[in-house]
Amino acid sequence: MDADAQNLEQLQGMLQRNNYNVLIAADGNAALRLIKTTKPDIIISDLLLAGLNGYEVWEKIRLDEETAHIPILVVSALMLPSANESVRFLPGNKRQTLYYDAFLPKPVDLNRFMRVSDKLIAPEKNRQIASGPTAVIAIDAPDLQQSLTIMLQAHDFGVESSTTLSETQRLVRTTSPAVLILDYRTPTQATRQLIFQIKRLVPNTAIVLVTQADTVEQAIQNEIHSVLLVPLQEDYVTLVIEQVLELMNSRYRNQTLTEQLITTQQNLLESQETLRAQNEELQLVNAKLRELDKLKETFTGMVVHDLKSPLSAVLGALNFTLIDPRISLTDKNRGMLNGAIGAGNQMLRLIETLLEGQRLEDGRVELDLEPFAWEDLVAESSQNILPLLTLHRLEIELAIPNNLPLLYADAHMTQRVLENLLDNAIKFSPRNSSIVISGEPEEAFIKLSVKDMGPGIPKAEQDKIFNRFEQVKNNQAGRSGFGLGLAFCYQAVGAMSGRIWVESDGESGTTFYFTLPIYQEKNFVVSSD
């Protein structure tokens, strides 16, 4: 698991050359699925992964009984806390345990990588294998070469030896060691050429020269990382090499972090450009929506006006016909005219509901809050819908206590709510039944209700019945509306600091409840000079 394609290719090649079968995962989630199904001998992972990061992947591997035994080798350019240590990365964050078995820094020392991998897979068999960095010693003097080998192996270095320049070049190119220790006591042009080639082909390998002089040519100084002066002392040799490797690793980490920072900055700039373009597009869409909203408002007003004017004329003509002494009407004629007037008034209420519902939705309604009696408003509304009640052979029953407190709300708006609820009750009530209007105090509110004996509202429909243009799917009623009246009631009651809801068993009868504030002296203040 590694997001670095070049590093991934190097590790894959090294493992395959050592007869390992290699499986590659594109991201953290894919890695977990692959590990779960294949149960590999070792897991090699970077910290920075797509999807889940390394910490999360390692934790899931360790906490799964089927994969907990698989060793995890982390290869990363970033420094990590010790394995299985609980750390807190940011103040306020929970502590996190890092589940891994071994860590190797980038750039990867391929020989060391193989030694550590073998040791993790078979620790008993490979107990004596060194776990430290790989050093290639290119010195043709046997005594000096052996002396350096003993010094480095004592400090857990893996040592490879070479006595010719061609063999040195091949060894360095194929294994990418951490450090090349090159004999420069009697430099030749071939030795100088080898230094330039290695620096160009394997730039992450540190080059340390063994020399008798404390200075080398200026051209060579720019290509190497340090020198060792003979005679060699163990502490001196290991100190110089460890300092060189630490410096190399630090430079690589800085380079990696810088590249990641530049990439992140470029991604941010691209994201900002995308957001700017999307913002401009959103502004254009919003401007278009405002224009459409204005057109909708204008259209709604025109429709309401164009419907209301002729409907008012029709109602006026019907009322005039009903009271004109010159026209002789039978009881049946009068009943028909009263029914037509009731239906016309219902249509007029629907038109006004459409207009005021739009104003409520846009927040353009100014409430005229005042104290008023619920009984008076019920009486007026009952009179307004009397023709409809007569037409459908329905009656109004009142269940209102005599001492019911005054309401404090917009009386006109409350009357519209009540008449919409009554229209709805009339629509679904069976003939020769009653509609019950009630009211009772409930803390700082009065709970008001309209109850019918219709087919009821299914439970599944009750949550959405107050949505605009929503109609109840109930085949028993045989009648439906436009879904505007109840939506208006919901908006109007909410605007007056109340709430509205429905209760029904879904089979027989429906009761709509709504609450409005009780009038109190502090609600109604008369100013005086």
Side-chain angles (χ1 to χ4, degrees):
M1 300 178 286
D2 199 322
D4 185 339
Q6 182 179 357
N7 191 66
L8 191 63
E9 183 179 356
Q10 282 186 329
L11 300 185
Q12 181 183 11
M14 191 67 177
L15 288 166
Q16 288 174 339
R17 286 194 297 273
N18 285 270
N19 301 317
Y20 280 89
N21 181 31
V22 182
L23 302 174
I24 296 175
D27 56 51
N29 289 309
L32 287 174
R33 292 193 295 270
L34 195 60
I35 293 165
K36 186 78 172 176
T37 55
T38 62
K39 308 296 190 302
D41 295 308
I42 187 171
I43 297 165
I44 299 164
S45 171
D46 194 357
L47 169 62
L48 303 176
L49 302 173
L52 296 175
N53 63 42
Y55 299 134
E56 296 169 310
V57 173
W58 309 336
E59 182 177 25
K60 290 180 182 295
I61 292 170
R62 277 292 184 267
L63 298 182
D64 187 333
E65 291 183 358
E66 296 183 3
T67 59
H69 67 283
I70 302 174
I72 300 173
L73 170 58
V74 178
V75 179
S76 177
L78 304 178
M79 292 301 295
L80 295 184
S82 300
N84 301 314
E85 180 182 348
S86 179
V87 295
R88 181 181 286 113
F89 291 101
L90 292 174
N93 285 13
K94 67 176 184 179
R95 301 186 71 84
Q96 192 168 8
T97 302
L98 306 184
Y99 295 99
Y100 68 90
D101 297 282
F103 167 77
L104 291 179
K106 291 183 180 179
V108 181
D109 174 341
L110 295 179
N111 268 4
R112 182 186 186 188
F113 166 73
M114 283 310 310
R115 286 186 276 109
V116 172
S117 298
D118 291 340
K119 201 166 185 177
L120 288 174
I121 293 171
E124 293 298 325
K125 178 182 177 182
N126 300 299
R127 183 180 299 175
Q128 302 302 321
I129 294 179
S131 300
T134 300
V136 172
I137 302 176
I139 297 176
D140 59 2
D143 293 343
L144 184 56
Q145 186 180 93
Q146 184 180 7
S147 176
L148 274 171
T149 300
I150 293 172
M151 291 179 191
L152 294 176
Q153 287 179 340
H155 291 267
D156 203 29
F157 277 77
V159 179
E160 300 282 345
S161 299
S162 170
T163 57
T164 66
L165 295 182
S166 59
E167 184 184 0
T168 300
Q169 184 182 37
R170 181 195 60 79
L171 196 58
V172 172
R173 292 187 62 179
T174 56
T175 63
S176 299
V179 59
L180 167 64
I181 304 174
L182 184 62
D183 191 351
Y184 204 71
R185 291 174 298 169
T186 55
T188 64
Q189 185 59 34
T191 307
R192 298 186 185 95
Q193 189 65 33
L194 176 64
I195 293 172
F196 288 117
Q197 289 176 347
I198 290 177
K199 183 63 180 293
R200 178 171 56 86
L201 298 174
V202 195
N204 294 319
T205 293
I207 302 175
V208 177
L209 301 183
V210 176
T211 179
Q212 293 175 332
D214 57 357
T215 60
V216 295
E217 306 96 306
Q218 182 64 41
I220 297 300
Q221 284 184 7
N222 296 330
E223 306 298 320
I224 66 171
H225 298 86
S226 189
V227 296
L228 292 172
L229 297 176
V230 292
L232 301 179
Q233 300 294 326
E234 181 177 336
D235 292 342
Y236 163 67
V237 169
T238 55
L239 176 63
V240 169
I241 293 177
E242 288 174 353
Q243 287 179 342
V244 166
L245 294 181
E246 179 58 34
L247 180 60
M248 291 283 289
N249 289 334
S250 297
R251 287 177 177 172
Y252 187 85
R253 285 196 298 271
N254 290 339
Q255 179 184 350
T256 301
L257 292 173
T258 301
E259 290 173 355
Q260 291 175 350
L261 183 60
I262 292 172
T263 301
T264 302
Q265 187 176 15
Q266 290 173 342
N267 292 338
L268 285 174
L269 290 174
E270 292 174 2
S271 298
Q272 287 176 349
E273 183 63 23
T274 301
L275 287 174
R276 186 190 62 78
Q278 290 176 343
N279 186 50
E280 290 179 357
E281 183 179 357
L282 185 61
Q283 288 178 353
L284 291 174
V285 171
N286 285 337
K288 188 66 176 178
L289 287 174
R290 285 193 294 269
E291 182 180 348
L292 290 173
D293 192 59
K294 188 174 181 181
L295 288 173
K296 180 189 70 173
E297 183 182 333
T298 303
F299 175 75
T300 302
M302 291 171 60
V303 169
V304 168
H305 180 269
D306 290 347
L307 288 174
K308 193 173 181 180
S309 296
L311 183 59
S312 297
V314 169
L315 287 172
L318 291 174
N319 280 302
F320 181 76
T321 301
L322 195 61
I323 64 175
D324 190 345
R326 296 171 298 174
I327 300 175
S328 177
L329 298 173
T330 64
D331 290 343
K332 184 176 181 179
N333 294 145
R334 288 183 178 277
M336 292 176 63
L337 285 173
N338 280 324
I341 291 171
N345 284 326
Q346 186 182 30
M347 187 64 183
L348 192 61
R349 288 194 294 273
L350 178 62
I351 292 171
E352 291 175 348
T353 295
L354 178 64
L355 181 61
E356 290 197 14
Q358 185 62 51
R359 289 175 177 169
L360 276 169
E361 189 174 320
D362 296 340
R364 296 184 294 107
V365 173
E366 292 186 8
L367 299 176
D368 183 14
L369 301 178
E370 59 179 342
F372 61 91
W374 175 239
E375 304 93 316
D376 297 340
L377 190 142
V378 169
E380 185 177 347
S381 295
S382 299
Q383 188 63 36
N384 290 341
I385 65 166
L386 182 60
L388 279 179
L389 292 170
T390 303
L391 181 65
H392 294 286
R393 300 177 187 174
L394 300 171
E395 292 184 352
I396 295 288
E397 290 186 11
L398 302 180
I400 304 173
N402 294 329
N403 58 346
L404 190 69
L406 296 178
L407 293 167
Y408 185 68
D410 186 313
H412 172 71
M413 190 79 71
T414 305
Q415 184 175 354
R416 296 290 308 286
V417 170
L418 175 60
E419 291 179 7
N420 270 294
L421 294 177
L422 288 172
D423 282 339
N424 188 77
I426 291 170
K427 186 191 309 177
F428 295 103
S429 292
R431 288 179 178 271
N432 302 312
S433 64
S434 298
I435 297 172
V436 181
I437 302 175
S438 65
E440 59 179 339
E442 190 177 75
E443 296 181 353
F445 294 84
I446 295 180
K447 183 170 75 172
L448 313 166
S449 66
V450 176
K451 179 179 181 181
D452 65 57
M453 299 178 183
I457 300 174
K459 295 289 186 181
E461 303 288 327
Q462 293 179 16
D463 290 337
K464 54 185 180 180
I465 194 172
F466 295 105
N467 295 339
R468 206 173 188 190
F469 303 115
E470 190 72 44
Q471 300 180 32
V472 175
K473 296 177 176 62
N474 191 323
N475 296 327
Q476 300 180 49
R479 287 168 283 179
S480 62
F482 295 101
L484 293 174
L486 293 179
F488 166 80
C489 293
Y490 182 85
Q491 292 174 322
V493 171
M496 294 185 289
S497 302
R499 67 185 187 96
I500 185 170
W501 68 98
V502 62
E503 292 183 3
S504 174
D505 61 8
E507 296 180 359
S508 176
T510 299
T511 304
F512 282 92
Y513 294 95
F514 66 102
T515 61
L516 291 175
I518 292 176
Y519 167 67
Q520 299 175 0
E521 290 293 335
K522 65 179 181 179
N523 293 334
F524 192 73
V525 179
V526 178
S527 61
S528 58
D529 296 333

